[in-house]
Amino acid sequence: MSALEMVRDAVAIVLLLLGTFLCLTAGLGLVRFPDVLTRMHAGTKPQVLGVLLIMVGAAIRLQGWSATWMLLLVAVFQMLTAPVSAHMISRVAYRRRHVRRDRLMVDELNSGGGVRDRVYQGDEPADAPPEQPGAALAKSREEDEAR
Amino acid sequence: MTIVYWAAYGMLGAGALLALVRLGMGPSLLDRVVATDTLLVIIAAGLAVHAGLERDPTVVPVLVVVSLLAFVGSVSVARYIGGMLVGSADDGQDVGLPEAAEERAARAGEAPR
């Protein structure tokens, strides 16, 4: 085994071990953190950095272009989908009251109990628009003016 | 090399086990979704570690499927819960639902850590 191969293996193994360590920290955070948002923060650690490290390590060890491209595909896919699923889960968590509001420092979604627009609330399901958009918009404007 | 095997699979196994603990404890459906998501990522990481350590590229296509599955699962459950929402008029949260179990436990003085 030449010196170059040894260095390559050492780098790959260090990357793999770092990635597995991130998986361990994700499990610890999931168990110890107090609510959904903080658990999500811990749980997505291996989703991006851990997967990237492990994919790079495995690609160095596998030494084949087909395997490398597939590992790259997995890494890119993880980086594309992690924000989407995190956004959806955290939005539902906030609206379903699974967020510890006493531990939030800034709560920008809370309008302080004031009057809000009753027609457009900002995050309606996309498949349930107002039945008559024109009339709904007019009503919304009226409410704004009367306020 | 044996030490590397034990360390890598030990850390992966411990992480997966802790994610399973959270999956069992709940308390809410969303906690379980997050735990399942993490568990699938750890499984994918384990497959990649196996492929890397054994120089065995046969499991790499399985990796693609597992990472696709994690995303589809968590997004579909989140959509399912989100579809049940009723619009709220005051503070942007849903109306008529109980407060979070975590918050109740915190008020009782015994904050779950």
Side-chain angles (χ1 to χ4, degrees):
Chain A
M1 185 180 279
S2 70
L4 180 65
E5 278 180 19
M6 278 185 69
V7 169
R8 212 160 49 191
D9 276 359
V11 170
I13 283 170
V14 167
L15 289 178
L16 287 178
L17 284 179
L18 275 177
T20 53
F21 177 70
L22 279 175
C23 291
L24 176 65
T25 57
L28 280 175
L30 273 183
V31 171
R32 287 183 55 86
F33 278 174
D35 72 345
V36 175
L37 292 189
T38 48
R39 279 172 200 150
M40 216 162 61
H41 163 78
T44 44
K45 286 287 146 297
Q47 236 169 12
V48 179
L49 183 57
V51 163
L52 279 182
L53 288 174
I54 289 180
M55 294 306 147
V56 172
I60 293 175
R61 284 277 292 181
L62 282 176
Q63 294 177 339
W65 279 110
S66 65
T68 308
W69 283 117
M70 254 191 242
L71 293 173
L72 188 70
L73 184 69
V74 173
V76 168
F77 191 74
Q78 281 290 338
M79 290 173 71
L80 280 179
T81 56
V84 178
S85 61
H87 177 93
M88 298 191 70
I89 292 173
S90 56
R91 187 181 68 177
V92 174
Y94 185 86
R95 301 196 64 185
R96 278 284 178 190
R97 294 176 197 267
H98 289 303
V99 174
R100 286 269 302 269
R101 303 179 87 188
D102 55 331
R103 303 190 60 137
L104 290 181
M105 299 187 72
V106 180
D107 188 359
E108 288 180 326
L109 295 177
N110 185 1
S111 57
V115 186
R116 269 172 41 122
D117 192 327
R118 284 170 186 280
V119 182
Y120 291 107
Q121 297 180 9
D123 57 350
E124 298 91 349
D127 51 351
E131 286 178 3
Q132 293 171 325
L137 185 61
K139 186 160 162 278
S140 166
R141 292 248 170 84
E142 269 174 31
E143 281 189 1
D144 284 344
E145 303 214 340
R147 191 172 299 167
Chain B
M1 210 56 190
T2 319
I3 299 174
V4 173
Y5 275 65
W6 277 101
Y9 289 124
M11 285 195 279
L12 282 170
L17 210 63
L18 291 170
L20 272 178
V21 167
R22 177 50 67 196
L23 186 63
M25 275 166 43
S28 72
L29 184 54
L30 286 162
D31 288 309
R32 295 176 214 267
V33 173
V34 173
T36 318
D37 210 6
T38 311
L39 190 63
L40 272 170
V41 169
I42 292 177
I43 288 172
L47 286 174
V49 166
H50 171 80
L53 289 182
E54 305 280 349
R55 289 189 196 276
D56 172 22
T58 48
V59 292
V60 174
V62 183
L63 211 61
V64 180
V65 176
V66 169
S67 73
L68 272 165
L69 205 63
F71 172 65
V72 171
S74 63
V75 164
S76 55
V77 176
R79 281 295 294 177
Y80 167 67
I81 305 172
M84 297 190 286
L85 286 173
V86 183
S88 85
D90 48 5
D91 64 350
Q93 292 196 321
D94 200 0
V95 282
L97 282 165
E99 66 182 327
E102 298 92 334
E103 211 160 330
R104 205 162 49 237
R107 267 199 297 106
E110 184 62 43
R113 300 285 300 169

